[in-house]
Amino acid sequence: MTSGFAGACARATLIYLQPGIMQRVDFKEAFGIIQAVDAKLAESLRAVWEQTAKARQANLCCYLAKYPYKHFVFKNGRALDPDGQPLRPDLLVAGQLPVGLILDNLLEVIDEVIRNEEVIEFPQSLLFKDNLIGLWELIDQQLKVEGHPSPNWTISSGSRSLKFIEFPTQKVQWDRLRTRYRQLSTYDKEVVRKLREIDLIRMIGEIDQKSKQWSTQILYFSSLWFDELEQQLADRARVVSATQLFSYLQSTSWSALARVRYNDDELTDALTEWGGDSNVARCKAAYLLLRHSLQVLTQRRPCFGPANGLSSLGPLDTFRNDLLQVARLKPTILGPMYLHAGQAGLLSLSQLVPSAFEENPDDNLEYIFKIISRARDAAARRDIWVPALQGLPALFSRLTFRVRSGRRRQKGRHGSVLTFRVKYSPSPSGSYEREDVPIESFYEPFFSPDSLPTSDSRFFRVALKLDLRGNAFLPQQVAPVRRPIYANEPT
């Protein structure tokens, strides 16, 4: 490496720390930034850059982008700059998406699910520091893949899916906020009930602006990098270094893809056709209960847990001090997390499928268990392998449920709250039984017995705990489907 190259790399730290939204960086300066995050990628890029014609080296530049909290990086497949405008065309690979390296904090990949008249954002996956974005589209272009899908990613800076353990749904709590933040409207129960945390943050201008001081930085690569890579791959004199870079990008893309690829059409069909329930919301809830639980327990989808000390998720201290404390609410914030051995996490069914639990949530949860049981029985009688239905005893041994029934079953502040486990029979033709557990058992290890969430917590209205403490969860091996599931086939 030349002394000039080394000197430019030494100055890269200054560029990395400079405030700014979007800044061009030549490769000599970008090298040090990349090396601090991913040394192998930096060296592979340098090898390609050094065998690029001098006249073209200046074009192999990067752009440093700083995305404020909750701003979209991609929205419905469209790449955006930190101001929310379309990203520079010269950063788009094949005219679609950019390739970028995450330098700090994290990005949240969002599932936008339609529920009646509202669209709910739910975390599909998390992209951490040193992860690359836009790789799948790049590999498709380099390999000249035909028939690849158009990208429709929605990805944000930080987590937009943060959940407050307590929300200002009561008038007295709302009025405390309004006393300090006069731009808030007067209390309207129906309006407040439908608000998401991200909506409340946006409504309070002072908090919204303060939250944007937190950011995620991405280093984008000019699309000319990949034009040059393609040329070098076709040049026998330069192919070795080019192949090393391409192989690294390809292996990295496959590693990321393993987390989000799945095909569970058989599960959808089994639950809707054989579950014996015409209620669309309950069938959807049964499907998402199984799919999300299995994906969380195998580290393919995030669940939620207390976001204590996880500053990479967003400006948590701002929300605790300037919002929750002002409303005199508990400062606990739940954030997305991957669940690993020895840990426990949480999911909220009532927030994922609100329409399934608007009335009689306990009864509807019971219907959902019956849908799952009937679908398993029908699949077994037809000798059809539906992977998610094969290991119900093992899966449900990792789950504990909490539902606010609306009926006072016992005395005390949590008298209307039921906490229980479900045990499915190992035999496909067998049923299931419920076993009550103490409420403290459900909330362990997240909350101590003297600081349990209130009974009216929105997140916990219908929720489940997923537990990977003890023996590791081993999903059923997938066997080929023996024949298709037909609509309207009698059970």
Side-chain angles (χ1 to χ4, degrees), residues 364-430:
N364 282 312
L365 191 56
E366 190 72 22
Y367 289 136
I368 289 166
F369 297 143
K370 292 177 180 178
I371 290 171
I372 295 171
S373 182
R374 287 192 290 258
R376 179 180 72 156
D377 181 35
R381 285 190 280 108
R382 289 163 175 78
D383 195 26
I384 291 181
W385 184 281
V386 182
L389 297 176
Q390 302 305 311
L392 290 185
L395 171 62
F396 276 79
S397 71
R398 297 289 180 179
L399 308 181
T400 309
F401 294 85
R402 187 260 198 211
V403 57
R404 188 185 182 199
S405 69
R407 308 164 185 164
R408 295 199 63 83
R409 302 294 181 90
Q410 53 191 355
K411 296 181 180 179
R413 353 177 0 226
H414 299 282
S416 61
V417 174
L418 304 176
T419 48
F420 57 90
R421 305 186 74 174
V422 174
K423 295 183 177 180
Y424 276 89
S425 168
S427 171
S429 59

Side-chain angles (χ1 to χ4, degrees), residues 122 264 267 285-303 339 345-349 352 369 372 388 392 394-396 398-401 463-468 473 475:
F122 212 78
D264 47 14
L267 176 60
Y287 166 72
L288 293 176
L289 167 59
L290 294 178
R291 190 185 81 170
H292 279 53
S293 296
L294 286 166
Q295 291 182 347
V296 166
L297 292 169
T298 54
Q299 296 82 48
R300 292 173 63 183
R301 176 181 287 272
C303 58
L339 191 64
L346 302 159
L347 283 176
S348 175
L349 281 175
L352 186 57
F369 297 143
I372 295 171
L392 290 185
L395 171 62
F396 276 79
R398 297 289 180 179
L399 308 181
T400 309
F401 294 85
L464 62 148
K465 179 174 77 172
L466 306 99
D467 201 333
L468 272 183
F473 175 73

Side-chain angles (χ1 to χ4, degrees), residues 171-230:
K171 184 176 186 302
V172 63
Q173 300 161 341
W174 186 265
D175 288 345
R176 288 174 188 145
L177 283 176
R178 192 163 180 268
T179 298
R180 177 162 173 178
Y181 305 113
R182 300 304 301 178
Q183 69 266 40
L184 284 178
S185 60
T186 55
Y187 178 77
D188 184 312
K189 182 178 180 179
E190 290 304 310
V191 171
V192 173
R193 186 178 65 85
K194 295 178 180 179
L195 281 180
R196 303 171 300 167
E197 283 79 353
I198 200 75
D199 298 326
L200 181 59
I201 292 166
R202 190 183 298 114
M203 291 172 65
I204 305 175
E206 182 179 330
I207 294 177
D208 190 40
Q209 288 302 313
K210 191 172 181 180
S211 73
K212 292 177 182 178
Q213 297 174 15
W214 185 100
S215 64
T216 302
Q217 295 188 102
I218 301 174
L219 188 70
Y220 287 120
F221 300 94
S222 165
S223 61
L224 294 177
W225 267 102
F226 308 108
D227 293 341
E228 178 64 28
L229 177 61
E230 189 170 5

Side-chain angles (χ1 to χ4, degrees), residues 7 9 27-28 64 99 160 171 174 180 204 288 311 318 347 372 377 386 406 415 425 428 443-444 450 452 465:
C9 294
F27 181 65
K28 287 183 179 180
L64 183 62
V99 176
R160 293 172 58 93
K171 184 176 186 302
W174 186 265
R180 177 162 173 178
I204 305 175
L288 293 176
S311 59
T318 296
L347 283 176
I372 295 171
D377 181 35
V386 182
S425 168
Y443 283 119
E444 190 273 329
D450 58 351
L452 302 183
K465 179 174 77 172

